[in-house]
């Protein structure tokens, strides 16, 4: 399972999403070999390689249980976009940038806010019992099928907190965390625990 988050500079929004997702996966799949099949990365359409997270975003991330340690930014490439099973962007313009690099990725590329809304509209039956290695791609197909039931709007964009006061970074991180919840609930349910059968005495 390869998940990719995209923003502009890859130092505020997408790294917050990346590290929060890793924290959710680690918590939900603790002790399961399924965790080893989860890869979460982020990139920026205008990123300078190797930059650390913005300090305000890093602090907001830590307050939500994520770890900013060791992060280094990277620029979005066609290879990253094409190899991801699910691409979640911070704005509609970022989604367009991803699709310009990977035009065949429409059915697995969404804004984060859009994906969270579509998760409530999509038919997700049985998805949390599907194998981990194909679940994110199938999730994307289910979300895409629900697109006809929802209009895109400016509300799909998560604003850039770069250069803003610390409180803005906190608000943005909280919005990202809320949007990730319904997605993580589907993506990181362990098949092993769901299928476990108690031993008879």
């Amino acid at each position: 399972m390869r998940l990719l988050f995209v923003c502009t500079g890859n130092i505020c929004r997408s790294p917050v999403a990346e590290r929060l997702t890793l924290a959710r996966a680690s918590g939900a799949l603790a002790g399961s070999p399924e965790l080893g099949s989860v890869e979460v990365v982020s990139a920026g359409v205008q990123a300078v390689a190797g930059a650390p997270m913005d300090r305000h975003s890093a602090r907001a991330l830590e307050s939500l249980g994520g770890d900013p340690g060791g992060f280094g930014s990277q620029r979005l490439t066609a290879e990253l976009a094409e190899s991801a099973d699910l691409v979640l962007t911070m704005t509609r313009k970022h989604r367009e940038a991803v699709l310009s690099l990977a035009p065949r990725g429409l059915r697995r590329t969404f804004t984060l806010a859009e994906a969270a809304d579509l998760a409530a509209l999509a038919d997700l039956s049985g998805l949390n019992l599907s194998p981990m290695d194909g679940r994110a791609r199938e999730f994307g197909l289910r979300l895409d099928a629900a697109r006809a039931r929802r209009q895109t709007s400016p509300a799909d964009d998560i604003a850039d907190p770069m250069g803003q006061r610390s409180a803005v970074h906190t608000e943005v991180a909280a919005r990202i965390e809320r949007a990730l919840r319904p997605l993580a609930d589907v993506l990181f349910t362990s098949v092993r625990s769901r299928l476990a059968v108690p031993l008879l005495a």
Side-chain angles (χ1 to χ4, degrees):
M1 179 190 294
R2 300 194 69 189
L3 308 177
L4 170 64
F5 293 96
V6 178
C7 70
T8 303
N10 193 213
I11 58 172
C12 296
R13 292 166 291 179
S14 59
V16 165
E18 172 195 321
R19 294 304 176 91
L20 285 177
T21 300
L22 285 170
R24 287 295 296 268
S26 297
L29 301 173
S32 170
E34 294 167 314
L35 181 58
S37 69
V38 176
E39 180 182 354
V40 186
V41 297
S42 62
V45 297
Q46 298 175 15
V48 175
M53 278 189 69
D54 177 274
R55 62 188 177 89
H56 296 306
S57 284
R59 196 173 301 124
L61 170 64
E62 288 178 314
S63 73
L64 293 169
D67 180 8
F71 179 82
S73 61
Q74 64 177 335
R75 197 175 186 95
L76 177 68
T77 64
E79 182 180 0
L80 279 171
E82 289 167 354
S83 64
D85 295 311
L86 187 64
V87 184
L88 298 167
T89 71
M90 296 300 122
T91 69
R92 293 166 294 164
K93 284 193 177 296
H94 297 142
R95 185 179 60 197
E96 291 172 8
V98 170
L99 293 175
S100 70
L101 292 172
R104 292 182 295 178
L106 178 63
R107 301 183 72 188
R108 52 189 167 85
T109 305
F110 308 84
T111 71
L112 176 58
E114 175 189 23
D117 281 358
L118 288 173
L121 301 173
D123 174 12
L124 303 180
S125 57
L127 190 54
N128 58 1
L129 292 175
S130 64
M132 194 67 68
D133 59 359
R135 190 181 301 179
R137 196 166 286 265
E138 177 61 25
F139 191 22
L141 295 177
R142 304 276 188 102
L143 296 178
D144 180 67
R147 268 180 164 142
R149 301 171 60 190
R150 181 186 181 277
Q151 293 289 324
T152 60
S153 76
D156 289 343
D157 297 342
I158 296 176
D160 190 353
M162 184 65 187
Q164 302 291 317
R165 64 189 190 282
S166 181
V168 176
H169 289 258
T170 300
E171 292 167 7
V172 168
R175 185 179 178 200
I176 290 170
E177 193 274 335
R178 287 193 301 272
L180 285 172
R181 286 179 205 167
L183 310 181
D185 287 345
V186 174
L187 291 169
F188 305 132
T189 298
S190 173
V191 175
R192 289 164 57 86
S193 62
R194 294 283 234 161
L195 298 181
V197 178
L199 293 175
L200 298 176

